[in-house]
Amino acid sequence: MAAPATLPWDETNPTTPPAMSAAKDIAFGSIAGIISKVFEHPFDLTKVRLQSQVLDATARFNGPADCLVRTWKNEGVRGLYRGLPAPIFGAMVENATLFLSYTQLQNAIRWINARPPSEDPTLPKLALASAGAGAITSFVLTPVELVKCKMQVQMLTPNVSSISTSPTPFGPTGAARIKAQTLPGPISVLMSVIRNTGFRGLWLGQTGTLIRETGGSSAWFTCKEFVGMQLIKRRAEASGTQLTRKDILPWESALSGACAGAVFNLSLFPADTVKSTIQTEGELRPRGKGVPPPTFLGTAKALYKAQGMRGLYAGCGITVARSIPSSAIIFLIYDGLSKRFPH
């Protein structure tokens, strides 16, 4: 059987123009990403700060709870959401690119294998499509994460952390509050990176992001699809009806998404730790002029030498804990919008 001459359109509504279908993927992914990011940002900030202290001689925080409490006392609510504009933008870009690439790569796989648009891909094919989507997304995500990570450790840099920050009942001290207000924002951080290292410097930590997003996205989507399919299959058998992936219920989207969130972060978390350490080195452990920038393998070896596997998994617990509800929110919103407004 010969392959069709063009890529298939969306299986739920073949009359929808491809541009409109892609626009919906971008819009739905962006909305889901923004909402989930506002929820999870304080926990992500905690994760980055715990990762950034692995190579320090003395740890600043004794664990995630200590980091959250001390950030709240010394920096207030604003401190918990430090660097939020960058990840908000990043969440829009990440999820829009991820869901758009995932859908288009599924279509490409169907086209290559001469399969009809209405056919649900097998799990191995979904894993391949999601790995490709993650790889594509990593290249637009690394600059955003670079700015985010640098902003999340601003209050830990030597010239800032040396300020007296005795906690007050209502948040940061006056000195810390004034200093926080004078710290550079996301645009300033972005321009500083470009000025010091050129545009290429925006992809510092790309290897870690690529590994995390390629493997993690494959695990994320595949787990979500597998758990969702099992829930749909069980409901179909109980009701005696024939159901497809598009018939997933809200609670099934949330539950399968929650499982996917845990799997994503457990699968390749050390790659994220190495990435965060590389991206915050300039603020916390600046190198002298002429010293080559850190490498992925060199940083991984240093982290392992410092604290073993424990160092590579610094902040993993709180990351998994926040990723479960966050991922549930993403798929609940994305699947819900996709059903309400079919592609």
Side-chain angles (χ1 to χ4, degrees), residues 127-174:
L128 178 61
S130 53
I136 293 170
T137 302
S138 72
F139 288 95
V140 298
L141 188 58
T142 296
V144 177
E145 292 213 350
L146 177 67
V147 174
K148 179 206 72 172
C149 287
K150 287 182 176 296
M151 292 190 67
Q152 287 177 330
V153 299
Q154 283 176 331
M155 291 296 287
L156 307 183
T157 55
N159 62 325
V160 177
S161 59
S162 61
I163 298 177
S164 174
T165 55
S166 301
T168 68
F170 304 103
T173 62

Side-chain angles (χ1 to χ4, degrees), residues 176-195:
R177 188 182 301 112
I178 293 173
K179 189 66 179 180
Q181 290 175 350
T182 62
L183 292 172
I187 301 300
S188 297
V189 172
L190 177 68
M191 297 308 298
S192 175
V193 171
I194 296 174
R195 184 169 53 252

